[in-house]
Amino acid sequence: MKIGIDTFACDGGKSGVGTYLLQLLTRISSSSDRLELFGWAYDHFAYSEFAPNLEFISRCSINGKSANAIWHLFRYPEFAKKMGYDVCFFPAAHKRPPYESPCPTVGVVHDMAAYWGTRRTREHLGAVLRMVLPNSLRRLDRIIAVSEWVKQELVELARVKESLIEVVPNGVDHSAFYPRPHGDESELLIQPFSFRRPYILCVSRIDHPVKNHIRLMNAFGIFKERTGFPHRLVLAGRDNNNASIVKAAAADSKWRSDIFMTGHFPLKSLPDLYSAADFVVIPSMYEGFGMCALEAMASGIPVACARAASMPETAEHAALYFDPLDTEDMADRMAALASDRALHENCRILGLERAKAFSWDRCAERTLEIIRETAGH
């Protein structure tokens, strides 16, 4: 069986969706099926380390979301037919779904952020895709949702038939994310930065207002005023929508000397960054799954997160929750984890146990099964 895998909108492995694809390729590249990747030419080498034996076919030379959406609308069918694919897999179907296909299609939906909040705050998909996204999703033969939350949104917001959707949760790489003792070192070198401990960590792209960084910084200020603790706030993630607004708020903060923004952080160094944190805070207004919570828990680091979207589903009882609109509530949870070491230890233990429920091996196995089923094999 010949499977085409669309790598467009997977950010060359540098985003949550990109990590998802890299983890899958690591596990399915040795499949007896013939797998081919297609996408931007500059993404070719992003996947060669994880799937060195897979052919990569460069397509769509014009950059831009709308241009790429048009390619999926008008050029993809011809391309897939020419390549003779038995089935095509779209790991970022919430951003780049096809409209028509000469072969069966399986798409993964990681979130429905395009529908979150007001029109002004929604994730920008480009004019073309914004018009065709719901109908394109309904035309896929099968959809994999990463959480029950996303599945429900697909049914209610995009009117996708529930029978076409299966929930296959993301996994976590337990060989990379695990507890790592750091002793009492006050400063650690974690390439390419040096970090002064203790620090509170938030791993997320800088995306305003959905990722809620400004309220987090305000809550951090309340935390500092209330406790007098020496903690710093580390924001690790690449710039995205309205990042300049977040940076301006950080520069204006009374506690700006204790707020450190790393920009894009190397994936290979993330486990060390997690494991040296005092705890992780996830203030997002919207998450389709919440990988950062899972990675933190697997690293043995307590999590405080927003009671919003999929977060309670992913973290369950292993996290402390707060109202993402209430900076006082957020600061309360931060102060509790920093001052109550019994609570800190309990959250650490519960998080490690919860993380055991997630496996990339199981995710990849079931995903490949769904692809084969959809192709009729």
Side-chain angles (χ1 to χ4, degrees):
M1 181 174 65
K2 190 176 182 181
I3 303 172
I5 301 176
D6 186 320
T7 68
F8 290 110
C10 292
D11 306 302
K14 295 181 179 180
S15 65
V17 179
T19 297
Y20 170 88
L21 179 56
L22 292 178
Q23 292 294 340
L24 253 61
L25 290 178
T26 299
R27 289 159 176 81
I28 70 173
S29 60
S30 59
S31 164
S32 58
D33 303 297
R34 181 179 174 184
L35 310 178
E36 286 184 355
L37 308 177
F38 59 91
W40 303 113
Y42 52 74
D43 279 344
H44 183 182
F45 297 104
Y47 304 102
S48 58
E49 177 184 350
F50 294 83
N53 299 322
L54 300 189
E55 184 175 355
F56 187 98
I57 302 167
S58 301
R59 280 295 178 271
C60 189
S61 58
I62 303 175
N63 291 333
K65 293 178 181 179
S66 293
N68 194 234
I70 290 172
W71 184 88
H72 281 80
L73 283 173
F74 299 110
R75 302 301 298 273
Y76 157 75
E78 176 187 351
F79 166 73
K81 183 177 181 180
K82 178 181 177 181
M83 300 307 298
Y85 293 136
D86 295 298
V87 60
C88 273
F89 178 56
F90 296 84
H94 59 302
K95 293 185 176 182
R96 296 292 189 280
Y99 190 75
E100 293 182 342
S101 179
C103 61
T105 53
V106 178
V108 183
V109 176
H110 296 264
D111 62 58
M112 294 293 286
Y115 290 86
W116 175 82
T118 66
R119 187 177 298 275
R120 182 179 63 84
T121 61
R122 288 175 184 170
E123 180 174 313
H124 178 64
L125 293 173
V128 176
L129 188 55
R130 191 185 308 113
M131 290 188 291
V132 303
L133 178 63
N135 201 22
S136 293
L137 291 174
R138 290 192 291 270
R139 295 168 74 95
L140 292 166
D141 292 287
R142 294 284 292 279
I143 292 180
I144 294 172
V146 298
S147 65
E148 291 289 347
W149 173 270
V150 170
K151 177 180 178 179
Q152 194 61 32
E153 288 196 310
L154 282 164
V155 173
E156 294 179 356
L157 300 177
R159 303 194 311 280
V160 176
K161 291 182 180 179
E162 189 171 358
S163 60
L164 299 180
I165 310 167
E166 180 170 335
V167 176
V168 181
N170 292 334
V172 64
D173 185 354
H174 291 280
S175 68
F177 296 96
Y178 57 87
R180 302 166 188 244
H182 285 290
D184 298 324
E185 302 101 322
S186 61
E187 193 160 331
L188 289 176
L189 177 63
I190 302 175
Q191 294 291 348
F193 301 105
S194 179
F195 293 90
R196 191 172 75 244
R197 302 172 70 202
Y199 62 83
I200 300 165
L201 176 64
C202 175
V203 178
S204 169
R205 68 181 186 271
I206 308 300
D207 193 339
H208 178 75
V210 64
K211 296 301 183 180
N212 212 20
H213 287 95
I214 292 179
R215 286 195 183 92
L216 172 58
M217 290 187 288
N218 291 339
F220 176 68
I222 296 170
F223 164 84
K224 294 288 283 186
E225 293 277 5
R226 185 182 300 171
T227 66
F229 289 168
H231 291 64
R232 302 182 78 201
L233 176 62
V234 175
L235 307 178
R238 62 186 174 90
D239 289 358
N240 204 267
N241 299 321
N242 299 314
S244 60
I245 297 175
V246 178
K247 291 180 177 180
D252 290 340
S253 171
K254 174 184 175 181
W255 302 98
R256 57 185 173 274
S257 62
D258 286 325
I259 298 174
F260 181 32
M261 304 180 76
T262 71
H264 170 68
F265 199 81
L267 292 176
K268 65 180 181 180
S269 299
L270 261 181
D272 286 319
L273 186 65
Y274 275 113
S275 63
D278 192 20
F279 55 90
V280 165
V281 179
I282 307 164
S284 302
M285 306 286 288
Y286 182 96
E287 291 284 350
F289 180 78
M291 273 303 301
C292 46
L294 184 53
E295 290 169 347
M297 291 189 296
S299 301
I301 302 303
V303 172
C305 63
R307 188 176 291 281
S310 66
M311 293 306 304
E313 178 185 340
T314 297
E316 284 194 343
H317 60 285
L320 294 186
Y321 292 96
F322 52 78
D323 179 349
L325 298 176
D326 188 340
T327 54
E328 290 279 354
D329 193 25
M330 200 183 305
D332 283 345
R333 300 301 181 271
M334 294 163 69
L337 282 174
S339 59
D340 188 338
R341 303 320 283 182
L343 175 65
H344 187 282
E345 178 64 9
N346 187 53
C347 287
R348 188 188 73 83
I349 293 171
L350 290 174
L352 283 168
E353 189 61 31
R354 176 60 180 154
K356 292 177 183 178
F358 298 89
S359 162
W360 280 123
D361 288 338
R362 288 195 297 272
C363 176
E365 180 181 5
R366 181 55 191 149
T367 298
L368 189 56
E369 287 175 354
I370 291 172
I371 293 171
R372 287 169 171 165
E373 290 168 5
T374 305
H377 287 252

